[in-house]
Amino acid sequence: MHHSLVTVPAAAAAAMLYARLAAASVRPGPWRLLTLSSVLALLLVLPLAVPLYSARGAAAFFFVWLGEFKLLLLAFGRGPLDPALAPLTFVFTGALPVKLLDHKNKSPDDSSPAVAEKTSQQVPLLYSSSIKLAVMVALILVLRDGGKDRMHRYAAFAVYGVITYCALDFVLPCLAAAGRAALGGAELEPQFDRPYLSSSLGDFWGRRWNLMASAVLRPAVYLPVRARAGAPAGVLATFFVSGLMHEVIAWYITFRPPTGQLTAFFLLHGASVCAERRLARLRRPLPRVVATPLVLGFVAGTAFWLFFPPLFGGGMDDHFIAETNALLSSAVDTGGRLLRLGTLR
């Protein structure tokens, strides 16, 4: 077991406890930001202690993107973090991609079909996670032993896209379930809401895909820019910042200079969301049976062109496959040992 499995979470928890104490002692504003600067610096370094590509990317997403934005919002008295939260609640909310569900302070822009639905109507976590884990393992087995080399480049990208979605929608709900259990059953906002049912690009990005990122980008970027320059500028600024943060996450994973492709991907989608909103005022919306394939086709096509190459091109996919094969082999070996130990007993 690598030491980072213990040291990184412990350091993040300690940093969040200090941030809570500092925020409780200093009023919102520049001075609070200054007191939080050491935590902001630490969060930038923590992912570098993680050796695995995929785990380092997840750590960068948790700490460098979500954590930094949450603390920056906290510095000015905004966002999901509040020094009045209980210590454990503050740590979970600050260090993990979870957010307490707030029924009192929701704005029209915060509406989400996932939040509106009752938990009982959703697929049970164990069943959903088992399906996603099985899909990931099956696709990884297809890629290994030269399978990737026999595929068309876009077919391989499609496989990587499905694996990425399954991995995110496996890990994040499990973390949320752990947080819910640790916080005594507190109600948390969901991370995804079946993005494959999106009826528009705005629906995909704002209400169904990676809602934790939307939860920090909305108060940090969209609402301030919209108040000063209008909704289209707010949308473009939000997608631009999202693109920059994806470039940062890609650097933590690959340690390669940014190519600008990820930023271009998100700017293209931001402009498309603005165009979509304008068209919605001029005509009736397309039926879902037509709109959903168009949305998913546009997301997939632009991802093949701009999103996946910086992450999986240039031989990075071979690193991911080799790492995943090693993890699978280790899991199978561990499972075999446990079975033999049970048989001996």
Side-chain angles (χ1 to χ4, degrees):
M1 182 177 70
H2 195 269
H3 66 82
S4 63
L5 191 62
V6 176
T7 57
V8 169
M16 288 302 168
L17 289 174
Y18 165 78
R20 176 179 178 271
L21 178 63
S25 305
V26 183
R27 294 174 60 85
W31 283 110
R32 180 185 282 187
L33 177 62
L34 183 62
T35 63
L36 296 176
S37 60
S38 60
V39 180
L40 292 169
L42 177 64
L43 293 185
L44 294 175
V45 176
L46 282 181
L48 300 177
V50 181
L52 300 178
Y53 295 100
S54 53
R56 189 165 62 244
F61 173 57
F62 296 172
F63 302 144
V64 179
W65 185 345
L66 298 184
E68 294 276 344
F69 272 73
K70 289 175 183 179
L71 290 175
L72 288 172
L73 288 168
L74 172 66
F76 296 95
R78 303 172 61 194
L81 294 180
D82 190 317
L85 292 172
L88 188 59
T89 304
F90 191 97
V91 169
F92 267 93
T93 306
L96 293 176
V98 298
K99 180 175 181 288
L100 293 173
L101 190 60
D102 185 358
H103 295 286
K104 295 180 181 179
N105 299 317
K106 284 180 63 60
S107 69
D109 289 312
D110 296 328
S111 59
S112 168
V115 174
E117 290 183 359
K118 300 293 184 183
T119 304
S120 60
Q121 294 177 330
Q122 297 176 350
V123 179
L125 177 62
L126 181 61
Y127 179 68
S128 173
S129 298
S130 299
I131 292 176
K132 292 179 177 68
L133 183 60
V135 170
M136 283 191 290
V137 171
L139 292 177
I140 290 166
L141 292 176
V142 169
L143 292 173
R144 66 190 301 183
D145 299 327
K148 183 263 298 186
D149 297 327
R150 294 189 291 270
M151 290 183 181
H152 187 278
R153 185 169 182 250
Y154 283 179
F157 282 164
V159 172
Y160 300 146
V162 175
I163 292 175
T164 300
Y165 166 66
C166 288
L168 289 171
D169 207 21
F170 172 79
V171 172
L172 298 185
C174 289
L175 289 174
R180 190 179 299 113
L183 302 178
E187 195 174 1
L188 303 176
E189 291 194 6
Q191 292 83 10
F192 291 89
D193 180 31
R194 298 160 299 174
Y196 45 83
L197 296 181
S198 301
S199 59
S200 67
L201 285 174
D203 185 33
F204 179 89
W205 290 113
R207 302 182 180 90
R208 294 186 179 273
W209 181 264
N210 199 356
L211 299 176
M212 292 302 100
S214 299
V216 297
L217 287 171
R218 184 176 292 113
V221 181
Y222 175 71
L223 293 178
V225 175
R226 186 187 68 173
R228 292 168 175 76
V235 170
L236 288 174
T238 302
F239 276 88
F240 176 64
V241 172
S242 180
L244 292 179
M245 293 311 302
H246 277 82
E247 300 278 5
V248 171
I249 302 304
W251 179 84
Y252 275 95
I253 296 172
T254 66
F255 293 134
R256 295 177 177 177
T259 64
Q261 289 173 284
L262 292 168
T263 304
F265 172 83
F266 283 96
L267 279 176
L268 174 60
H269 278 258
S272 299
V273 168
C274 292
E276 182 182 72
R277 287 184 174 185
R278 188 167 184 82
L279 286 174
R281 300 191 190 100
L282 303 176
R283 60 166 178 78
R284 295 177 60 184
L286 294 173
R288 182 181 291 272
V289 69
V290 177
T292 297
L294 289 176
V295 170
L296 297 183
F298 182 76
V299 172
T302 52
F304 294 160
W305 173 32
L306 293 170
F307 188 87
F308 290 123
L311 295 175
F312 297 107
M316 285 306 303
D317 53 349
D318 293 325
H319 292 294
F320 280 104
I321 294 170
E323 178 181 285
T324 308
N325 282 339
L327 291 174
L328 281 177
S329 299
S330 177
V332 170
D333 183 58
T334 302
R337 291 181 181 181
L338 292 175
L339 286 174
R340 286 194 296 272
L341 182 61
T343 303
L344 289 175
R345 289 184 177 179

